[in-house]
Amino acid sequence: DVKVTQSSRYLVKRTGEKVFLECVQDMDHENMFWYRQDPGLGLRLIYFSYDVKMKEKGDIPEGYSVSREKKERFSLILESASTNQTSMYLCASSLSYRNEKLFFGSGTQLSVL
Amino acid sequence: AQSVAQPEDQVNVAEGNPLTVKCTYSVSGNPYLFWYVQYPNRGLQFLLKYITGDNLVKGSYGFEAEFNKSQTSFHLKKPSALVSDSALYFCAVRAQTGANNLFFGTGTRLTVIP
């Protein structure tokens, strides 16, 4: 089965730090996604990518950037972390992006102090 | 604009009883509809999807969902709940044309009481 691996399960950072969240998938999927999950708000799409070096903004891209230098790896970058970015971050991948299911990683719980 | 509503934050059901988790959606044109489940400290797992065809979709772990176009609903159901079904359930929708994003609902926490 597809495996989506997020590098950290828990992360604690200070306000203003630059934060990197890494995600790797092992099934040669074209599409990769970063979501954040907050209680009462569900999942909200931050950025997604359909190919290497390609990226598109999701619903809440402000304060974030992404990098996809290799097909299997999709990184989320918080240039200057703020407390309102404390959240659960979920990475996902899919073979195609319309009617195919997403495969999710286990998530990274980020706390910004 | 696309959106998903899960009107119940919490659903409690006794073990062995049927369960329903509600979902309504709004999308331009025809939808692709999905249900995902999240167990504690885990990522989301795919349960089932509706693309086209039969309105009753069967998925993993004995779950099924019924697509109702006139009511714009896609409720998740299971004939007999298990304690192990206790989890957070998310409904999601994507338009078949136009916007690429998959929109998720806010989630419904299902608790199955032994």
Side-chain angles (χ1 to χ4, degrees), chain B residues 7-104:
Chain B
E8 301 158 315
D9 293 334
Q10 173 83 39
V11 170
N12 297 325
V13 63
E15 186 177 22
N17 282 3
L19 70 86
T20 298
V21 182
K22 296 179 181 177
C23 172
T24 58
Y25 67 90
S26 174
V27 70
S28 298
N30 294 319
Y32 294 132
L33 292 156
F34 302 80
W35 276 101
Y36 287 83
V37 59
Q38 186 177 39
Y39 298 103
N41 300 314
R42 303 280 296 276
L44 275 71
Q45 297 178 30
F46 170 80
L47 270 183
L48 51 80
K49 66 180 178 182
Y50 170 82
I51 301 175
T52 187
D54 195 347
N55 289 343
L56 186 63
V57 179
K58 294 189 182 296
S60 306
Y61 312 121
F63 283 93
E64 59 189 26
E66 187 169 10
F67 171 62
N68 187 317
K69 189 171 184 178
S70 63
Q71 297 185 3
T72 61
S73 66
F74 190 56
H75 300 331
L76 181 71
K77 300 181 180 184
K78 188 174 182 181
S80 178
L82 300 173
V83 173
S84 57
D85 293 330
S86 299
L88 189 57
Y89 291 81
F90 289 95
C91 181
V93 67
R94 174 186 287 137
Q96 292 189 14
T97 58
N100 299 330
N101 297 1
L102 184 63
F103 285 82
F104 283 83

Side-chain angles (χ1 to χ4, degrees), chain A residues 9-10 33 35 37 40-43 45 48 50 56-59 90 97-102 104-106, chain B residues 32 34 36 38 41-44 46 49 51 88 90 94-106:
Chain A
R9 183 72 181 92
Y10 298 96
F33 308 81
Y35 288 87
Q37 180 182 2
L41 297 177
L43 274 73
L45 183 63
F48 55 105
Y50 295 140
E56 290 200 33
K57 293 180 179 179
D59 301 314
L90 296 172
Y97 64 88
R98 287 223 173 262
N99 62 2
E100 290 298 325
K101 62 185 179 183
L102 300 183
F104 283 85
S106 297
Chain B
Y32 294 132
F34 302 80
Y36 287 83
Q38 186 177 39
N41 300 314
R42 303 280 296 276
L44 275 71
F46 170 80
K49 66 180 178 182
I51 301 175
L88 189 57
F90 289 95
R94 174 186 287 137
Q96 292 189 14
T97 58
N100 299 330
N101 297 1
L102 184 63
F103 285 82
F104 283 83
T106 53

Side-chain angles (χ1 to χ4, degrees), chain A residues 8-15 17-21 78 81 85-87 108-113:
Chain A
S8 303
R9 183 72 181 92
Y10 298 96
L11 211 52
V12 180
K13 296 292 181 181
R14 297 210 173 272
T15 302
E17 279 193 78
K18 190 169 186 176
V19 181
F20 292 87
L21 302 183
L78 287 66
Q85 292 179 310
T86 292
S87 185
T108 296
Q109 178 63 53
L110 173 67
S111 297
V112 182
L113 306 179

